[in-house]
Amino acid sequence: MVKAAGQFVFGIVGLALITFAARLLHLQPGAISLLYLIVVVFVSLRAGLASSVGVSLVAVVCLHYYFLPLFSSAGTKNPLAIVAAAAFLTTAWVITAMVARVRKLTEAQLTVRFEERLAERTRIARELHDTLLQSFQGLMLHFQAVDDLLPAGKAKEALEKALDRADQAIVEGREAIQNLRSSTIVTNELGEAIAALGEEFGGNGSPRLRVSMEGTPRELHPILRDEIYRIAREALRNAFLHSQAGKIEADITYDARLLRLRIRDDGMGIDRKLLDTGRDGHWGLRGMRERAQQIGAQLDIWSETGAGTEVDLRVPGSVAYGTEGNAR
């Protein structure tokens, strides 16, 4: 309700500014109608029906009772004024519906891509488990049989050390496959996962990571969740290891329209050239931007030398929560 009222006020202010500019610049009704139309469509896409209708009616009243009389002869009335008003409203809502439809199709395509990536990841994990890992297990049994036949001595000790290392490699491989089949992070709770990153990167003399959360945590698709986690991991790694910061903060906002993650530090900052292109041979910042693009998110990285760095990741709510309940 509060946000809808805010969008309504924003629309009214936009109409007022256009009205003032139109009088100042002596714009024609056609140009004014087009500018009004842009405001109405913008409000309609971001607010509810009531706000959209309210702003639309205000725009029609301004056009019909204020601007049209300025360009009409005194005492005359345009018989098509009502038709023009209806056409204005219809055009505004048709454009809004078309834009909303395109946006929904784009979000649906992203969801399909997430599902395809998850299915492919699961397929690869299954193939690795059923072929490569099982083959290694079989080889281990053969080597163990050879070890049982060897007499005590240096050759037997060397083979047993090799078997121990191979066992460890198989355990690590099994864990990697498990990660592929499920998710990079054990918990679906981003706050807990990011706090764990703070413990991983932190140490004696390192700044503490403060994690804050706004809104109710919601289920995210495993692919999207993992990409957000990896972006956060790279941002925190840079903050802990390179920024020389005294304070690091991570803010997570679960909003109906937006999932937002902001990571800030008060460190030495990043040179503008490195911020744009990254270090030679290093793909951290570029990888963050590529991951954000793959999930339909917007990533902004701000930094000034000596003034710290802020990483701001925003994912549309319809993308972030569109597959809620199907994360596993």
Side-chain angles (χ1 to χ4, degrees):
M1 183 66 70
V2 175
K3 290 186 177 180
Q7 292 298 329
F8 175 77
V9 172
F10 177 84
I12 298 302
V13 171
L15 294 179
L17 292 175
I18 291 172
T19 302
F20 176 78
R23 285 299 307 271
L24 189 66
L25 300 174
H26 304 289
L27 297 180
Q28 295 297 312
I32 299 168
S33 299
L34 180 61
L35 294 174
Y36 277 179
L37 192 64
I38 293 173
V39 173
V40 171
V41 170
F42 182 82
V43 173
S44 298
L45 288 172
R46 296 178 61 87
L49 178 62
S51 297
S52 173
V53 172
V55 174
S56 300
L57 292 178
V58 171
V60 169
V61 169
C62 289
L63 283 171
H64 186 69
Y65 292 101
Y66 182 69
F67 282 109
L68 289 182
L70 291 178
F71 295 91
S72 301
S73 302
T76 62
K77 291 185 178 181
N78 186 352
L80 297 179
I82 299 298
V83 176
F88 175 87
L89 293 176
T90 302
T91 302
W93 292 337
V94 166
I95 292 175
T96 300
M98 292 174 61
V99 174
R101 177 62 177 170
V102 171
R103 186 167 61 182
K104 286 183 178 179
L105 288 174
T106 302
E107 293 162 355
Q109 290 174 353
L110 277 174
T111 301
V112 171
R113 283 169 50 194
F114 291 160
E115 294 296 339
E116 289 175 347
R117 288 178 60 187
L118 183 61
E120 180 65 10
R121 195 167 71 173
T122 303
R123 185 192 67 79
I124 292 172
R126 184 171 57 248
E127 293 295 328
L128 288 174
H129 178 272
D130 294 344
T131 57
L132 189 62
L133 197 59
Q134 296 291 1
S135 297
F136 277 128
Q137 291 279 21
L139 286 173
M140 288 293 293
L141 291 176
H142 288 293
F143 283 123
Q144 187 63 53
V146 173
D147 179 67
D148 293 338
L149 296 175
L150 287 176
K154 291 184 179 181
K156 185 177 181 68
E157 291 177 2
L159 182 57
E160 288 178 347
K161 288 181 180 179
L163 288 172
D164 289 339
R165 292 177 183 174
D167 283 335
Q168 182 62 33
I170 289 176
V171 170
E172 292 174 356
R174 187 176 292 111
E175 291 176 352
I177 289 173
Q178 179 60 33
N179 286 338
L180 280 174
R181 290 187 66 90
S182 56
S183 175
T184 301
I185 52 177
V186 176
T187 175
N188 197 288
E189 174 51 61
L190 277 179
E192 294 179 7
I194 291 174
L197 286 175
E199 296 178 0
E200 176 185 342
F201 292 126
N204 294 332
S206 298
R208 291 185 60 84
L209 172 65
R210 183 189 67 82
V211 180
S212 65
M213 192 179 313
E214 181 181 347
T216 304
R218 301 174 68 171
E219 289 288 315
L220 307 175
H221 192 283
I223 294 294
L224 183 138
R225 183 180 67 239
D226 289 356
E227 298 292 8
I228 294 174
Y229 175 82
R230 292 184 177 110
I231 292 171
R233 182 183 180 86
E234 181 64 26
L236 289 173
R237 189 182 72 84
N238 290 336
F240 274 98
L241 302 183
H242 304 300
S243 71
Q244 300 179 16
K247 181 174 63 175
I248 302 175
E249 300 175 335
D251 300 329
I252 305 169
T253 302
Y254 290 93
D255 183 76
R257 296 183 179 275
L258 193 71
L259 171 64
R260 188 175 189 181
L261 170 64
R262 287 184 293 175
I263 297 176
R264 299 185 297 271
D265 67 67
D266 60 353
M268 60 188 297
I270 305 175
D271 182 80
R272 173 58 59 181
K273 182 178 179 181
L274 295 179
L275 190 64
D276 294 336
T277 61
R279 293 184 178 89
D280 292 339
H282 294 264
W283 304 93
L285 295 177
R286 185 180 303 177
M288 291 167 64
R289 293 188 174 98
E290 289 174 353
R291 291 185 187 279
Q293 184 178 9
Q294 287 174 354
I295 60 175
Q298 180 176 344
L299 178 68
D300 295 317
I301 304 176
W302 175 91
S303 185
E304 290 289 344
T305 303
T309 302
E310 176 172 310
V311 175
D312 188 358
L313 178 70
R314 285 165 288 178
V315 188
S318 53
V319 173
Y321 317 129
T323 54
E324 184 170 348
N326 299 322
R328 294 282 180 180

